[in-house]
Amino acid sequence: MKNITELTQNLTQLYAALKDGTIDVKVAAEMNNTAGKIINVQKVQLEYAMLRKEAPSIKFLEK
Amino acid sequence: MPYKDVALHREAINAARRKRYAELRAAGVPPPKPQTESAKEAANRRAKAWRAANPDKVRAYKKRKYWEDPDKARLKQRERVDKQAAKARSRAYYRSNREYVTQREAAYYRANPEVNRAANRRCAERLTDGYIHKLDKTLPPELYEVKRVQLLIKRQIKEMT
């Protein structure tokens, strides 16, 4: 997983797998939780840049 | 009481009333004056007299006397109309500039994260569709899509466990 597009794709696959029942709910919950943490880290980075009135180039967010 | 008994009872009352009127007429008592005001009007007249006699007991909203002062009544009516017009204007503006208004609100909520925080948290706990669709108000737009999917999964897990 290199960037946010891949993360979104992975999460979409996870959602599909969860609906199909091909993945354990506990595992899915942990993965989803981790994805949430990654998103929050990016959010903090963006907010920090916004407060400093900067336009940073964050590799993870580049497509 | 069965209907038949009710009818008999009424008839008895009317008979007694007729008898009493006949006695009064025989005694030379003049008939009562015809009623010129309704019960409601009479009550209003009495209440007005009471207010005039007891100004210290009159409540504040009665003291405004909108119904007595035509200027005040007109002012109140105009205020009401203005309020409705402002509401209509605001609604029309919102409808015709929906995107701009949403962006402005989003900017406001991003700049003031403490506003509405408790309500947002409650919505987040419930993970409602409304909350998931409103995410762009609190999140940087870059993260909107991914967060939305993540929350959908979270809700799915919540439903399954």
Side-chain angles (χ1 to χ4, degrees):
Chain A
M1 188 178 58
K2 288 177 185 170
N3 56 27
I4 195 163
T5 317
E6 277 188 32
L7 177 63
T8 312
Q9 282 169 2
N10 287 353
L11 281 177
T12 314
Q13 285 165 7
L14 179 65
Y15 186 64
L18 197 64
K19 279 220 152 186
D20 295 344
T22 50
I23 192 168
D24 184 28
V25 177
K26 273 189 179 176
V27 176
E30 288 304 324
M31 284 171 74
N32 194 44
N33 198 13
T34 313
K37 299 277 186 289
I38 295 170
I39 294 165
N40 279 344
V41 168
Q42 302 307 318
K43 185 184 166 189
V44 170
Q45 266 190 317
L46 282 171
E47 282 175 354
Y48 176 71
M50 207 182 285
L51 283 174
R52 289 174 62 94
K53 294 177 183 169
E54 288 173 354
S57 102
I58 301 170
K59 274 196 177 176
F60 188 78
L61 296 179
E62 286 167 4
K63 290 176 186 174
Chain B
M1 192 188 284
Y3 177 73
K4 197 180 164 190
D5 295 348
V6 173
L8 283 173
H9 181 62
R10 275 193 196 140
E11 184 51 41
I13 289 172
N14 285 338
R17 190 177 288 150
R18 279 196 294 275
K19 192 181 167 192
R20 189 161 157 263
Y21 285 165
E23 283 169 7
L24 286 170
R25 272 198 301 276
V29 177
K33 286 177 187 172
Q35 209 173 6
T36 53
E37 62 180 0
S38 68
K40 195 174 176 183
E41 283 169 346
N44 279 342
R45 181 174 48 73
R46 281 197 301 275
K48 200 173 171 182
W50 182 87
R51 281 196 295 273
N54 304 285
D56 53 321
K57 291 178 187 168
V58 178
R59 293 184 184 187
Y61 70 92
K62 288 282 181 192
K63 277 182 189 163
R64 286 185 221 144
K65 296 183 182 175
Y66 284 120
W67 58 90
E68 285 174 10
D69 189 340
D71 286 340
K72 278 186 184 174
R74 264 198 295 278
L75 191 68
K76 195 181 180 190
Q77 176 66 15
R78 193 188 294 166
E79 274 172 9
R80 196 178 298 142
V81 170
D82 284 353
K83 206 172 174 185
Q84 283 171 351
K87 209 171 176 183
R89 271 201 308 275
S90 149
R91 198 176 297 142
Y93 177 78
Y94 178 77
R95 279 183 185 159
S96 54
N97 300 283
R98 194 179 289 268
E99 276 187 26
Y100 169 70
V101 173
T102 313
Q103 279 174 11
R104 197 179 57 188
E105 281 180 5
Y108 173 76
Y109 282 111
R110 268 201 291 278
N112 301 283
E114 75 282 357
V115 175
N116 226 4
R117 197 165 48 184
N120 282 338
R121 198 176 55 236
R122 280 199 301 277
C123 285
E125 280 164 7
R126 284 202 303 274
L127 289 176
T128 57
D129 278 334
Y131 172 71
I132 293 174
H133 285 292
K134 269 185 193 170
L135 268 179
D136 57 340
K137 285 186 179 175
T138 50
L139 264 186
E142 295 90 343
L143 300 171
Y144 176 57
E145 275 301 314
V146 69
K147 185 72 183 172
R148 195 160 168 249
V149 181
Q150 195 247 336
L151 284 179
L152 279 174
I153 296 171
K154 196 173 173 184
R155 188 166 68 180
Q156 184 71 27
I157 290 168
K158 222 176 184 182
E159 281 171 11
M160 289 170 91
T161 50

